[in-house]
Amino acid sequence: EFFGNIPDFSSPFLEEIHLDNNAFTGSIPSIHDSTNLREVRLERNQLSGKIPAELADNFNLQRLWLDHNQLSGVVPHELGRLEELVSLKVHGNFLIGAVPSSVCKLRDGSLETLKATCVGNSDLTCNCCTNC
């Protein structure tokens, strides 16, 4: 099990980040200039703070799993730009508001799994989420 803060990432060769099921703390790192990035799996840590809107700059992202952390704030509407996204998991956090319509519109395309209100997130609503 690893702990501490996760460093920032910047690499056009980076395809996957799998740092799930650890004890990482702090905020989600800056992940930029990673045009080949397909998966970010940071679930089941102790990450806090907001979901960075800049994650949407990684336009080839297919899986974004941030569930079971201590994230707060809203689901950024910018994530709706991730047209290749197949799976988004943000449940088990302290998010508020509503899953943005821009993210819900992805369900008409590639997005098969959207889990936001399965566990935790009692102040978050989602009218387009998949079953838990």
Side-chain angles (χ1 to χ4, degrees):
E1 186 170 276
F2 297 101
F3 58 91
N5 291 336
I6 301 172
D8 293 342
F9 293 95
S10 176
S11 171
F13 305 106
L14 189 62
E15 293 183 10
E16 297 181 1
I17 298 172
H18 287 230
L19 297 173
D20 49 304
N21 295 299
N22 284 289
F24 287 115
T25 57
S27 58
I28 294 174
S30 175
I31 304 169
H32 53 84
D33 299 325
S34 300
T35 53
N36 290 314
L37 188 63
R38 294 185 326 254
E39 282 193 23
V40 173
R41 292 193 50 188
L42 301 176
E43 77 271 17
R44 297 188 184 275
N45 281 287
Q46 298 168 22
L47 299 173
S48 59
K50 299 179 188 267
I51 298 173
E54 296 78 25
L55 285 172
D57 295 340
N58 301 292
F59 53 86
N60 285 318
L61 203 58
Q62 296 174 358
R63 283 177 190 78
L64 180 57
W65 292 1
L66 306 174
D67 53 288
H68 295 95
N69 279 290
Q70 299 169 9
L71 301 171
S72 58
V74 299
V75 176
H77 69 89
E78 290 87 351
L79 296 183
R81 295 194 323 243
L82 294 171
E83 295 180 0
E84 301 298 319
L85 198 63
V86 174
S87 180
L88 174 62
K89 297 181 181 182
V90 296
H91 58 286
N93 286 292
F94 302 106
L95 301 170
I96 60 171
V99 173
S101 61
S102 61
V103 174
C104 286
K105 286 180 183 173
L106 295 174
R107 296 273 297 131
D108 295 335
S110 62
L111 189 60
E112 298 171 3
T113 303
L114 173 54
K115 295 184 178 183
T117 57
C118 299
V119 177
N121 292 337
S122 60
D123 293 326
L124 181 69
T125 59
C126 182
N127 58 7
C128 62
C129 286
T130 56
N131 292 332
C132 299

